[in-house]
Amino acid sequence: MNISGDEIASVVLREFEKWPNKRKPLLRSDDVKEWVPLSGIVAQGKNDLVCLAVATGMKCLPQNKIAQAQGVTLHDWHAEVLAIRSFNRFLLEECYALASFEKASSEYIRFRTQDEITETCFQSFALNEDIILHMYCSEAPCGDSSMELTMAAQDDATPWDLPSKIHTPDDLSPAEPEVLHGRGYFSALGSVRRKPSRPDAPPSLSKSCSDKIALKQSTSLLSSITSLLISPKNVYIHSLVLPSSQHSFIACARAFSDSGRLSPLKDREWEGGYAFIPFGILTTDKEFASSRRQPLGVGEKIVPSNISTSWTPNNTETLIGGSLQGRKQFSLKGASRVCKRRSWKLALEIAKTASILVPKVEEALDVNTYTSVKHSLPLSKRREVKENVRAIALKGWIRNEGGEDWPMEGVEF
């Protein structure tokens, strides 16, 4: 059945409307309104659309704070990234429910048969075949897919002179052309970009949402941890839904399609169930009530919201600074359900259940540091995909490294 952008957007917008006001942008008493991006992952089944993850947010950690995150504070809580993290958490919880026999079956996840499991496709679970995944974004994702909108908003659209080289802290030799800052150098199209921020803010190496979503067209929506348990084969975005006001056909084709900067990946397949699967773009005329484009009364002004929210059918959390609201940033008690450390712990609990019995997955997860998980043999095919994409399509991608040499202890799953 054909689904419209309006139908997908409506599912996400209706879910947001149910949230209590404490999880939404504020209407302050001084005639100041807050705005925030909204994103969601929607599953299309045989007969209906179901929202599996919704998130708001628009900030990330500066590079000089990454080492403090220690797997408990999020590096990036832009709505699109947080929605994908929330979706992964939901899938892990479905796996846990099946593995521990809390559920006899799931609408979304199933056990794979022994005939399906091979040396490179070793995962115990798969997304049900009749599920199609859609992603909604209330704003054009920051980075390359929004550059035409950025240029149109400039008083002076004269191109800026581009930086030539960058030096990384651990390498004194000339590196790739600099990863461009946010909205700066807006005439340089097709480039990998960092997250936008205020000019006076500490720099971040976190890549733009356009770049991260573009990479997901090859690695699937699954995170590293989740891909140890669930096959990536059909966990790809089928369509990306944007408001008509936020859609530039030229920008989206360049950023995401096989005719743009990702053209070297056309028809590419890798071992392990990975492939380059570009999504379609759908538009909607529905606008998010707390978007940057919300109507303002006389004397009212609009400012960014500093809170973000992660929602799944199982849980809702509000975050500030990448940690749970009301908890100290970087503290173990501030660890969100979607953080790396808690996701790792949940994945290990799933792998240890008698119903799984894939020794190499348990061995990959039952290690002393998160770095060891990321460099484990079962994740080698996924690493190869990422390296290939960055080498031939998303060139100049400088990894936001540091601070992954931490243990699992100190959090619940």
Side-chain angles (χ1 to χ4, degrees), residues 143-145 147-148 151 157-163 178-193 254 261:
D144 198 45
S145 68
M147 296 317 296
E148 272 73 4
M151 287 188 281
T158 303
W160 302 359
D161 292 333
L162 292 176
E178 182 171 2
V179 181
L180 299 177
H181 177 271
R183 304 179 188 91
Y185 309 101
F186 48 78
S187 61
L189 304 177
S191 298
V192 171
R193 291 177 174 272
R254 180 185 63 246
R261 61 180 180 165

Side-chain angles (χ1 to χ4, degrees), residues 117-123 228 351 357-366 376-379:
I117 296 174
T118 66
E119 184 64 26
T120 57
C121 298
F122 52 82
Q123 296 87 349
L228 287 169
L357 295 177
V358 183
K360 69 177 181 180
V361 172
E362 183 177 346
E363 290 168 7
L365 290 164
D366 196 5
S376 64
L377 184 61
L379 286 176

Side-chain angles (χ1 to χ4, degrees), residues 123-184:
Q123 296 87 349
S124 297
F125 300 93
L127 192 72
N128 287 337
E129 281 73 12
D130 60 351
I131 298 294
I132 298 172
L133 298 171
H134 306 279
M135 186 173 190
Y136 164 79
C137 302
S138 67
E139 308 284 334
C142 63
D144 198 45
S145 68
S146 65
M147 296 317 296
E148 272 73 4
L149 297 172
T150 298
M151 287 188 281
Q154 303 301 311
D155 293 329
D156 179 5
T158 303
W160 302 359
D161 292 333
L162 292 176
S164 55
K165 299 287 184 183
I166 184 175
H167 294 280
T168 59
D170 300 322
D171 181 7
L172 298 180
S173 62
E176 295 291 332
E178 182 171 2
V179 181
L180 299 177
H181 177 271
R183 304 179 188 91

Side-chain angles (χ1 to χ4, degrees), residues 44-59:
Q44 177 187 345
K46 292 180 180 179
N47 301 310
D48 58 359
L49 294 170
V50 179
C51 203
L52 298 185
V54 182
T56 59
M58 57 190 305
K59 296 181 183 294

Side-chain angles (χ1 to χ4, degrees), residues 71-277:
V72 297
T73 297
L74 306 185
H75 293 184
D76 181 351
W77 53 99
H78 277 224
E80 298 91 333
V81 175
L82 187 53
I84 293 172
R85 294 193 71 85
S86 303
F87 172 68
N88 274 267
R89 176 70 193 201
F90 173 75
L91 293 183
L92 285 176
E93 290 172 355
E94 288 293 289
C95 292
Y96 181 78
L98 288 177
S100 60
F101 304 107
E102 288 181 8
K103 282 185 173 183
S105 63
S106 165
E107 295 177 69
Y108 310 106
I109 293 292
R110 65 173 179 84
F111 281 111
R112 299 175 75 210
T113 65
Q114 286 300 313
D115 291 342
E116 294 177 276
I117 296 174
T118 66
E119 184 64 26
T120 57
C121 298
F122 52 82
Q123 296 87 349
S124 297
F125 300 93
L127 192 72
N128 287 337
E129 281 73 12
D130 60 351
I131 298 294
I132 298 172
L133 298 171
H134 306 279
M135 186 173 190
Y136 164 79
C137 302
S138 67
E139 308 284 334
C142 63
D144 198 45
S145 68
S146 65
M147 296 317 296
E148 272 73 4
L149 297 172
T150 298
M151 287 188 281
Q154 303 301 311
D155 293 329
D156 179 5
T158 303
W160 302 359
D161 292 333
L162 292 176
S164 55
K165 299 287 184 183
I166 184 175
H167 294 280
T168 59
D170 300 322
D171 181 7
L172 298 180
S173 62
E176 295 291 332
E178 182 171 2
V179 181
L180 299 177
H181 177 271
R183 304 179 188 91
Y185 309 101
F186 48 78
S187 61
L189 304 177
S191 298
V192 171
R193 291 177 174 272
R194 293 182 278 138
K195 287 285 198 293
S197 62
R198 298 193 320 268
D200 61 342
S204 169
L205 280 180
S206 186
K207 303 311 167 295
S208 74
C209 290
S210 290
D211 297 325
K212 289 185 175 183
I213 293 171
L215 181 60
K216 289 294 183 185
Q217 293 183 114
S218 296
T219 61
S220 84
L221 280 173
L222 300 180
S223 67
S224 295
I225 292 291
T226 314
S227 68
L228 287 169
L229 295 165
I230 302 174
S231 168
K233 281 189 176 180
N234 59 331
V235 196
Y236 287 83
I237 302 170
H238 183 267
S239 58
L240 180 70
V241 179
L242 299 174
S244 300
S245 64
Q246 293 294 288
H247 175 240
S248 163
F249 175 83
I250 292 174
C252 287
R254 180 185 63 246
F256 302 126
S257 80
D258 59 12
S259 63
R261 61 180 180 165
L262 304 180
S263 59
L265 301 174
K266 187 174 182 179
D267 300 324
R268 185 68 182 266
E269 294 183 358
W270 295 268
E271 289 185 295
Y274 294 101
F276 173 60
I277 304 179

